[in-house]
C-alpha cells in the first residue's frame, strides 16, 4: 500500500469522524455547493453563486469557508453590510485564521472603517508575521486612513525585501502625492516605468499628478497612454472624465463616466460623479437617475442621497425631496448640509417652524452656513416674526451671503 493511498484513507477517516458522521456528510455537501458557487462566480452568474453559497451555509452552518466565499462576493458587488456580517461569522467560527482577519480588514477599508480594518490586519500580522501580503495590506489601510509615516515604513521594508517592486514603488508615489510632494511622486512613477514601460497604472498616476497641477490637457495624454496599454482600464476612463469636467466639457466627461461604468468600476462613485455633472448641466432628471443608480450599488452612499434630494427639489418633487433629506440625516445625523436641505424643503412646503428648527441644527453643526441663516430669516418672516427674521437676513449678508442682499432690501428696508 503506497504512502499516498494510506494518507488519503487517514484523511477520509479524520474527516468522517472528526465532528460525527452526520456533520461530515453535511460538510462534504457544503463543500460541493461552495465549489458550484465558485464556478458560477467565475462566469459572472453572481445571483446563482450567492444562492449556492447560501445553500452551503444552510447545509453546514459551521462551515466558515462558505461564509467567507459569500462575503467576498458581496464585497465585489458593493454589498458591504452583508459582507461584513458574513466575515464576522466566519471569524467567530475560526478566530485563529489570519487569512479571514486579513479579508475582513480589506472589507473594512472599502467600507471606510479604517480603524477597524487596521486592527484586523494587525492581528493577522501578529498571527503570521512573515506574510508580506499582510504588510502590503496594512500599507493600503494606512494610506486610506492618512497614516502616511507608518505606510512609508512598511513600504521601505517591502522594498528592502524586493516585494512586488512595481506596485510597492507606485504606493510610495501615492504617499508622496497625498503629501503634496508632486516632484517626488513623479520621480517614483518614472522609476516604475523604468521597471516596466507598459504599466498602465503608472501612467494613470502621472495623469493624477497633472490634474493636481491643474494641467487637465496633459493629464488626458497620460490617461490615453494608460488606455492604450489597457483598453478596459475603468479607472483611467473615470479620471479622463474628471479631466474633461475640469475643462468644462460636460458632455465628453459624461461619455467617459459611462465608459467607466461599462467596465465595472466602483459604480456608486462613478454614478455619483456623473450625477454631479448632470446636475451642473441642469439635467436634474438625469441626475436623479444617476444618484438612484449610485444608491443601488451602495445603499449608504450619503452624497448620492443628498444630491438626489437637491435634484428633486429643483424639479418641484417636494415629497420625494423630503424623503431623501430624511434619509440623508439618518445616514449623517450631524451633517449641516443635510439639515439645511431639509429646512429648504420645509420652507417650500410652508412648514416654517420645522424649517427654522432644521436651520438651527444646521447652524449648530456649521456656523458658517450663511445661506441657512438667510433662509432661516425668510422662514421667520413668513411666520410673521419680522424683527428676528430681518436680523438673520442682515447677519447672513454681513457675513458674506451676497446673494441675499436684494431680498434683504425688499423685506427689511427701513
Amino acid at each position: 500500500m503506497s504512502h499516498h493511498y494510506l494518507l488519503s484513507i487517514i484523511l477520509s477517516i479524520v474527516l468522517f469522524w472528526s465532528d460525527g458522521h452526520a456533520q461530515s456528510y453535511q460538510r462534504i455537501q457544503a463543500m460541493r455547493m461552495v465549489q458550484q458557487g465558485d464556478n458560477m462566480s467565475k462566469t459572472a452568474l453572481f445571483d446563482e453563486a450567492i444562492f449556492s453559497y447560501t445553500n452551503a451555509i444552510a447545509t453546514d452552518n459551521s462551515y466558515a469557508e462558505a461564509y467567507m466565499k459569500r462575503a467576498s462576493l458581496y464585497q465585489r458587488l458593493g454589498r458591504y453590510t452583508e459582507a461584513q456580517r458574513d466575515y464576522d461569522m466566519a471569524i467567530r467560527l475560526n478566530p485563529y485564521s489570519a487569512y479571514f482577519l486579513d479579508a475582513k480588514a480589506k472589507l473594512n477599508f472599502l467600507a471606510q472603517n479604517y480603524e477597524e480594518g487596521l486592527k484586523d490586519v494587525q492581528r493577522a500580522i501578529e498571527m503570521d508575521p512573515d506574510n508580506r501580503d499582510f504588510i502590503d495590506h496594512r500599507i493600503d489601510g494606512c494610506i486610506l486612513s492618512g497614516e502616511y509615516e507608518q505606510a512609508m515604513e512598511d513600504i521601505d521594508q517591502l522594498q528592502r525585501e524586493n516585494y512586488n517592486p512595481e506596485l510597492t514603488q507606485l504606493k510610495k508615489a501615492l504617499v508622496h502625492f497625498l503629501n503634496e510632494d508632486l516632484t517626488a511622486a513623479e520621480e517614483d512613477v518614472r522609476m516604475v516605468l523604468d521597471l516596466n514601460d507598459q504599466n498602465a497604472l503608472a501612467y494613470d498616476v502621472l495623469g493624477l499628478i497633472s490634474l493636481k497641477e491643474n494641467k487637465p490637457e496633459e493629464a488626458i495624454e497620460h490617461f490615453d497612454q494608460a488606455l492604450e496599454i489597457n483598453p478596459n482600464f475603468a479607472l483611467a476612463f473615470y479620471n479622463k472624465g474628471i479631466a474633461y469636467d475640469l475643462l468644462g466639457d460636460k458632455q465628453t466627461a459624461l461619455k467617459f463616466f459611462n465608459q467607466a461604468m461599462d467596465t465595472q468600476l466602483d459604480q456608486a462613485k462613478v454614478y455619483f460623479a456623473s450625477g454631479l455633472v448632470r446636475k451642473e448641466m441642469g439635467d436634474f432628471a438625469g441626475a436623479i437617475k444617476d444618484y438612484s443608480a449610485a444608491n443601488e450599488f451602495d445603499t449608504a452612499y450619503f452624497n448620492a442621497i443628498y444630491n438626489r434630494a437637491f435634484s428633486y427639489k429643483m424639479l418641484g418633487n417636494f415629497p420625494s425631496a423630503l424623503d431623501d433629506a430624511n434619509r440623508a440625516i439618518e445616514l449623517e445625523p450631524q451633517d449641516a448640509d443635510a439639515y439645511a436641505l431639509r429646512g429648504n424643503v420645509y420652507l417650500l412646503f410652508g412648514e416654517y417652524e420645522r424649517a427654522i428648527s432644521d436651520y438651527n441644527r444646521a447652524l449648530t453643526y456649521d456656523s458658517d452656513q450663511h445661506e441657512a441663516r438667510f433662509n432661516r430669516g425668510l422662514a421667520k418672516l413668513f411666520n410673521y416674526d419680522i424683527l428676528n427674521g430681518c436680523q438673520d437676513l442682515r447677519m447672513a449678508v454681513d457675513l458674506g451671503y451676497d446673494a441675499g442682499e436684494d431680498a434683504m432690501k425688499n423685506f427689511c428696508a427701513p
Side-chain angles (χ1 to χ4, degrees), residues 2-221:
S2 71
H3 290 299
H4 291 298
Y5 181 66
L6 180 62
L7 180 60
S8 68
I9 292 175
I10 293 171
L11 288 174
S12 297
I13 292 171
V14 171
L15 176 64
F16 191 79
W17 291 108
S18 60
D19 294 317
H21 183 157
Q23 179 64 31
S24 297
Y25 177 75
Q26 291 171 342
R27 177 61 53 88
I28 291 169
Q29 294 300 312
M31 290 171 67
R32 179 178 60 80
M33 294 170 186
V34 165
Q35 184 61 53
Q36 290 174 345
D38 290 346
N39 293 336
M40 292 170 180
S41 181
K42 289 174 184 176
T43 55
L45 298 173
F46 300 129
D47 288 339
E48 292 86 346
I50 288 173
F51 183 72
S52 290
Y53 296 142
T54 302
N55 278 343
I57 291 167
T59 302
D60 181 357
N61 62 12
S62 65
Y63 187 24
E65 185 70 17
Y67 286 101
M68 282 295 298
K69 293 284 188 176
R70 191 172 69 175
S72 180
L73 183 52
Y74 279 147
Q75 179 177 319
R76 288 174 58 193
L77 296 174
R79 295 165 62 175
Y80 298 140
T81 301
E82 293 157 296
Q84 183 76 57
R85 191 159 48 237
D86 278 353
Y87 278 130
D88 288 341
M89 178 59 75
I91 291 170
R92 278 199 295 271
L93 292 170
N94 190 347
Y96 303 108
S97 171
Y99 164 71
F100 287 2
L101 282 166
D102 180 62
K104 182 169 178 275
K106 287 185 284 186
L107 171 67
N108 274 316
F109 294 152
L110 284 172
Q112 300 181 20
N113 297 325
Y114 304 133
E115 185 176 352
E116 288 302 313
L118 285 169
K119 288 178 182 177
D120 289 332
V121 78
Q122 184 60 40
R123 287 173 61 199
I125 291 169
E126 290 168 1
M127 292 179 186
D128 186 0
D130 294 327
N131 191 315
R132 293 298 169 259
D133 289 343
F134 295 167
I135 300 290
D136 186 45
H137 298 158
R138 183 168 66 185
I139 291 171
D140 296 338
C142 288
I143 290 174
L144 289 167
S145 62
E147 298 184 27
Y148 303 138
E149 186 174 345
Q150 177 63 58
M152 197 63 82
E153 287 180 14
D154 286 340
I155 287 170
D156 289 342
Q157 176 185 341
L158 294 186
Q159 285 189 319
R160 287 193 299 270
E161 298 173 6
N162 203 34
Y163 172 93
N164 201 340
E166 286 181 46
L167 183 59
T168 304
Q169 189 69 41
L170 268 176
K171 290 184 180 182
K172 190 172 189 177
L174 182 58
V175 173
H176 281 137
F177 176 83
L178 293 170
N179 271 325
E180 305 286 339
D181 190 348
L182 302 185
T183 300
E186 183 170 351
E187 289 175 358
D188 290 330
V189 177
R190 298 294 180 189
M191 291 175 66
V192 174
L193 291 172
D194 287 341
L195 294 169
N196 177 11
D197 62 1
Q198 294 298 298
N199 190 311
L201 186 57
Y203 285 110
D204 187 70
V205 175
L206 282 179
L208 292 176
I209 293 170
S210 296
L211 284 180
K212 190 75 170 178
E213 294 173 335
N214 198 26
K215 300 175 182 176
E217 296 94 342
E218 181 180 294
I220 289 169
E221 292 179 8

Side-chain angles (χ1 to χ4, degrees), residues 363-380:
L363 290 163
T364 296
Y365 294 127
D366 182 2
S367 60
D368 292 330
Q369 286 266 344
H370 304 319
E371 183 178 359
R373 189 182 304 279
F374 184 85
N375 288 340
R376 184 178 70 178
L378 291 178
K380 289 176 179 178

